[in-house]
Amino acid sequence: MATAIDFEALMKEARQKQKLAKNNAAVQDSTLPSAAAEEVSLHDNATLPARPRCSLHQEHHRVHSMPQNVYHLNEWLSEADEELLLNFADASPSSRWTQLRGRRLQNLGGLPQGGDSGGMIPEPLPKIMISICQALVDAGIFDAEAPPNHVLVNEYQPGQGIEPHRDGPIYAPRVAILSLGSQCRFDFVHNDPQRKLYGSLLLPRKGLLIFDGEAYTMYLHSVPQHLGYNHGKTERVGGGWAPSSASAQGISHVQTSIACRRAQRLWGLIRGVLHVVEPNDSGDCVVAVPPLSSPGEQD
């Protein structure tokens, strides 16, 4: 059975590799050609265009064949939004990336520390990520009183993935996942020794997956390490294949078996860290959840 120990081991590995990556890349990044440094700054300081975005309506957006509290908003991002975010990732300096087994990632907003006494020493979010967090608040996906303060950017190459896991007690029990670059399978798995599959989703580009409650606390989730998928075994949210629940809202028809290949893809995993550790004037550490500033207020 998966416990917080799994989470702590993953975070320990991430912290060690991120520290090593920063040390190895410090000299390289400090001597970036001016054009490359300007490109990093350009994409860091971009913001999502202001436009109405789909708000969460729980019954309408619920994925009925999955555990309770799983929702999907199709086409939540525009083509231009997706391009901005992909450009941000492509222009990121090497010191931001941490290479793990089956993926590489960026921790934006700070690096969470595992364990019961863990917290996160906050770091400024890039403006483009602040604008995403604000858009999620505006859409009713996160509460304005407890906005998201951490973004994990995961990059998966074809054939890469992550084993079934839970995200750990350091996070507020709601997560929003933006899919970029390619469709991908996402599994919910029973949290028991057999780890039996509960159900699979085929997530489209530009869509927004949200889960909390039972889906977050009682089940594991994973990205299978496959090069391609058979639509006959996965539910495609936002209009597509759903062998077990063709009548569910948002599902258009059933198809027996259509194969697709997965391309390089990114995930923006957005959530709230419950304990933010900040030093006070005396040098001691205090725990706080900082308010989300608007893109115009962020230096």
Side-chain angles (χ1 to χ4, degrees), residues 213-259:
E214 176 184 299
Y216 187 95
T217 60
M218 294 181 61
Y219 292 89
L220 311 180
H221 54 272
S222 72
V223 177
Q225 299 179 7
H226 298 311
L227 289 170
Y229 306 113
N230 187 320
H231 290 322
K233 298 180 180 179
T234 59
E235 178 171 323
R236 182 177 176 179
V237 292
W241 296 268
S244 60
S245 59
S247 61
Q249 291 188 19
I251 305 302
S252 60
H253 62 278
V254 173
Q255 192 87 354
T256 55
S257 180
I258 294 181

Side-chain angles (χ1 to χ4, degrees), residues 133 136-148 174-176 270-272:
C133 291
L136 290 167
V137 169
D138 293 342
I141 293 158
F142 290 97
D143 194 321
E145 300 301 316
R174 166 168 280 201
V175 62
I270 303 154
R271 53 200 171 178

Side-chain angles (χ1 to χ4, degrees), residues 49-183:
R51 66 174 181 84
R53 288 184 173 80
C54 183
S55 297
L56 175 62
H57 299 283
Q58 291 190 353
E59 189 57 31
H60 178 69
H61 292 118
R62 182 183 164 198
V63 185
H64 290 270
S65 62
M66 293 296 114
Q68 290 286 337
N69 306 99
V70 177
Y71 313 99
H72 188 269
L73 282 66
N74 199 41
E75 297 282 337
W76 197 78
L77 294 172
S78 68
E79 290 282 351
D81 295 338
E82 182 186 45
E83 184 176 2
L84 275 177
L85 294 170
L86 291 173
N87 288 341
F88 165 82
D90 289 342
S92 294
S94 58
S95 58
R96 278 192 190 160
W97 291 103
T98 301
Q99 184 67 53
L100 298 178
R101 295 188 300 272
R103 60 180 171 143
R104 67 172 185 162
L105 60 82
Q106 296 184 37
N107 274 289
L108 302 176
L111 184 61
Q113 310 294 312
D116 294 337
S117 60
M120 181 180 77
I121 299 175
E123 299 175 359
L125 280 168
K127 285 186 177 180
I128 189 168
M129 294 302 167
I130 293 175
S131 69
I132 291 173
C133 291
Q134 186 60 58
L136 290 167
V137 169
D138 293 342
I141 293 158
F142 290 97
D143 194 321
E145 300 301 316
N149 56 6
H150 183 256
V151 179
L152 187 67
V153 179
N154 286 306
E155 181 187 69
Y156 297 98
Q157 298 291 340
Q160 292 184 331
I162 185 171
E163 294 296 318
H165 66 284
R166 286 188 298 179
D167 289 345
I170 192 173
Y171 299 106
R174 166 168 280 201
V175 62
I177 298 175
L178 289 169
S179 298
L180 308 171
S182 171
Q183 58 189 353

